[in-house]
Amino acid sequence: MTTSPIAVAGLGVVRGRVTALDDVSFEVPAGQVVGLLGPSGCGKSTLMRSIVGVQKITSGSVSVLGEPAGSASLRSRIGYVTQAASVYEDLTVAENLRFFAAVLGVSAQRVEECVVLVDLARQRNQLVGRLSGGQRSRVSLAVALLGDPTVLVLDEPTVGLDPVLRRDLWATFHRLADAGATVLVSSHVMDEATRCDRLLVLRDGRLLVDQTPSALLESTGAHDVEAAFLAIVEAAS
Amino acid sequence: MTTEVSARVTLAVARRVLLQLRRDRRTLAMLLVLPCAIIALLRWMFSAQTGSGFQGLAPALLALIPFVVMFLVTSVTTLRERTSGTLERLLAMPLGKADFLFGYALAFGAVAAVQSALAVGVSIWWLGLHVAGPTWLLLVVAVLDAVLGTALGLLVSAFARTEFQAVQFMPALVIPQMLLCGLFIHRDQLPGFLHAISNCLPLSYAVDAMTAVSTRTNPGVGGDLAVVAGFTVAALVLGALTLRRRTA
Ligand SMILES: Nc1ncnc2c1ncn2[C@@H]1O[C@H](COP(=O)(O)OP(=O)(O)O)[C@@H](O)[C@H]1O
Ligand SMILES: [Mg+2]
């Protein structure tokens, strides 16, 4: 019996002919913002899909809140933002949120809270298709927040956002974590690492790093995460 | 497979689909106006002829149009839902597959009811179609047909990767049914083998039912309707199998 909100053990995933994940094991504590970093194609999305329970896995196990990933009882307790903004472009921000709120069975009050949380109050009656890419991904994030989830899995939510907005979103993630949620955020931009409580670094489907940012810098002697990543890759090859 | 149906979620899906349709003014106009226009065109074609050409063909068209239109609209809409990631998101939420399927069937069934009411109204009161049986039965057949189109559209959307591919299923699955359903040649005048095939196609029964309602005062269409309903349920069940919570 494990108590970590997310526990991954010996996870292997083969997608088509590609080994997307190879023997990945880690645990994530509650109340932290955990960064999942690594270059494009390293398996971040595949790992997140495995945690949410929408990925067919080849070996190993993934448990979330003490239950096997994908269990029906987890569906209302995990918030998931896919890499592409999975919202309806031909509906307004509010209409999108009201629809997903009805599916989740949460109140109209919560819709308004989430619109404010992602700073889209002024755009609430605009069609999502007319919003900028950054605004669209915030709509997607708002949908994930609706059910007040215990575990939030966010696939590159800050890509393409301006620096101010990025900072605000990271602040939001930390507020959610402070309230007890577990927040797993992926990014292929290494400098986002400093904003995380803990780092997981993937490369070619293997987990290279599972540390706090400061411990990582200390153990490699590098002064930024990018340099630390290179040091580890070189040491491994 | 989740078997329990939640009225709340089913209605939410249906309402959302209708809202999207309302936003798409052009599609909505096509859905409501086009069938009337096609039937009017048919009437016009036969206006210089004596005989009952229009009377013979119009009921079959009233069966055909909702089926074809809903097939197309549903296959494209649900394909979009699959490719945009919204389906993956919904399936990661507490949404039963049946809620999703019934939500779509409900929404497009409702649209089909309005569409057919308009087409039937125009046919009877403006174009002079004579319906011997009860008019409401025409509507029942049309709605059932539309739901069949919706169910098949949902199913084929799983086998298409692009909207272009989805639209290609229409000639593949729909045109042979149109040819064999009795619109061009009475089904009992088809060569034996083709007659046997037409007996296996749902549209044949829909057209039989429509023709019966328009030509007989006391049409017994229960059998035909049961076959159409059976095909619809089968397509929905197969469609549910293509909604995978976990994908590779
Ligand atoms: N649907 C898919 N089918 C087959 N292979 C895939 C699919 N999606 C991703 N892959 C492969 O799996 C590997 C990991 O991809 P992904 O998890 O999307 O990486 P990341 O999110 O880190 O960019 C890549 O080699 C990619 O080509
Ligand atoms: Mg990715």
Side-chain angles (χ1 to χ4, degrees):
Chain A
M1 174 78 208
T2 164
T3 49
S4 302
I6 302 176
V8 174
L11 175 64
V13 174
V14 176
R15 301 185 82 169
R17 294 208 191 89
V18 188
T19 302
L21 293 175
D22 184 11
D23 195 20
V24 171
S25 303
F26 63 90
E27 294 195 10
V28 163
Q32 288 204 345
V33 177
V34 180
L36 175 59
L37 300 179
S40 268
C42 70
K44 300 182 296 294
S45 295
T46 307
L47 178 55
M48 294 193 136
R49 282 168 44 83
S50 308
I51 291 168
V52 175
V54 296
Q55 175 69 52
K56 275 189 190 145
I57 67 175
T58 320
S59 57
S61 67
V62 181
S63 85
V64 179
L65 302 172
E67 297 190 44
S71 302
S73 67
L74 291 174
R75 284 183 203 134
S76 54
R77 294 193 284 164
I78 300 186
Y80 173 38
V81 176
T82 50
Q83 196 162 357
S86 308
V87 284
Y88 300 96
E89 304 209 334
D90 43 3
L91 297 182
T92 67
V93 174
E95 286 164 351
N96 263 288
L97 288 174
R98 280 201 295 266
F99 166 61
F100 286 109
V103 172
L104 290 166
V106 303
S107 68
Q109 165 76 22
R110 182 67 190 151
V111 168
E112 298 311 316
E113 285 169 17
C114 289
V115 167
V116 173
L117 217 55
V118 297
D119 194 20
L120 283 175
R122 275 192 305 130
Q123 287 82 17
R124 69 187 299 287
N125 292 320
Q126 275 183 37
L127 287 183
V128 169
R130 303 247 172 84
L131 299 177
S132 73
Q135 290 171 328
R136 223 177 282 193
S137 55
R138 277 185 285 153
V139 180
S140 196
L141 176 63
V143 172
L145 296 176
L146 279 172
D148 207 358
T150 322
V151 173
L152 257 176
V153 178
L154 312 172
D155 202 349
E156 311 220 17
T158 57
V159 168
L161 299 189
D162 69 74
V164 177
L165 224 105
R166 260 201 347 232
R167 184 199 60 199
D168 291 351
L169 273 186
W170 279 100
T172 307
F173 302 156
H174 280 283
R175 248 185 293 124
L176 294 164
D178 290 343
T182 300
V183 186
L184 183 63
V185 185
S186 75
S187 176
H188 67 270
V189 185
M190 293 291 175
D191 32 315
E192 303 220 274
T194 47
R195 304 183 189 271
C196 305
D197 298 319
R198 190 168 190 87
L199 294 180
L200 298 166
V201 180
L202 277 178
R203 182 169 184 263
D204 287 342
R206 293 181 150 273
L207 191 64
L208 286 188
V209 173
D210 175 7
Q211 272 181 323
T212 62
S214 51
L216 172 67
L217 296 183
E218 209 170 296
S219 66
T220 54
H223 42 262
D224 62 29
V225 176
E226 183 119 29
F229 177 73
L230 290 173
I232 290 172
V233 169
E234 263 151 40
S237 56
Chain B
M1 179 173 155
T2 317
T3 43
E4 76 266 32
V5 185
S6 149
R8 182 193 80 233
V9 179
T10 304
L11 286 175
V13 172
R15 207 176 307 126
R16 189 261 303 166
V17 171
L18 289 175
L19 194 58
Q20 285 178 295
L21 213 51
R22 217 180 66 195
R23 281 287 143 67
D24 189 350
R25 289 280 161 78
R26 238 174 273 181
T27 301
L28 199 58
M30 297 252 280
L31 285 175
L32 299 182
V33 177
L34 206 61
C36 300
I38 290 175
I39 305 246
L41 175 66
L42 187 75
R43 181 76 194 85
W44 193 13
M45 282 163 58
F46 283 102
S47 60
Q49 293 209 331
T50 51
S52 59
F54 175 71
Q55 188 66 37
L57 284 175
L61 268 188
L62 287 173
L64 206 70
I65 292 172
F67 173 76
V68 173
V69 170
M70 293 306 157
F71 175 85
L72 274 178
V73 175
T74 313
S75 57
V76 171
T77 328
T78 47
L79 181 75
R80 245 186 245 165
E81 188 113 47
R82 285 176 202 270
T83 51
S84 70
T86 47
L87 181 65
E88 176 172 324
R89 163 167 252 161
L90 282 172
L91 290 177
M93 285 184 171
L95 165 127
K97 293 172 188 174
D99 298 330
F100 183 83
L101 291 168
F102 289 154
Y104 263 91
L106 199 62
F108 286 132
V111 174
V114 177
Q115 181 190 57
S116 304
L118 283 174
V120 168
V122 164
S123 303
I124 293 177
W125 287 297
W126 185 43
L127 304 173
L129 177 72
H130 176 71
V131 180
T135 311
W136 62 267
L137 208 48
L138 277 190
L139 283 183
V140 170
V141 181
V143 169
L144 205 57
D145 247 8
V147 176
L148 173 68
T150 295
L152 281 177
L154 270 161
L155 178 58
V156 303
S157 74
F159 303 100
R161 243 179 248 132
T162 62
E163 289 174 21
F164 190 55
Q165 286 180 3
V167 172
Q168 298 302 317
F169 278 110
M170 142 84 186
L173 285 178
V174 176
I175 292 185
Q177 294 202 59
M178 281 165 64
L179 292 178
L180 297 176
C181 72
L183 187 62
F184 296 94
I185 302 181
H186 270 286
R187 294 209 299 123
D188 42 22
Q189 287 162 23
L190 285 169
F193 181 65
L194 290 181
H195 190 194
I197 292 184
S198 89
N199 278 340
C200 305
L201 301 174
L203 203 56
S204 308
Y205 296 89
V207 170
D208 282 356
M210 273 303 192
T211 312
V213 175
S214 55
T215 54
R216 275 181 254 142
T217 29
N218 257 321
V221 293
D224 290 331
L225 291 188
V227 174
V228 176
F231 272 101
T232 307
V233 170
L236 282 174
V237 169
L238 289 174
L241 294 178
T242 70
L243 298 176
R244 291 277 161 81
R245 285 192 201 270
R246 254 180 217 278
T247 52

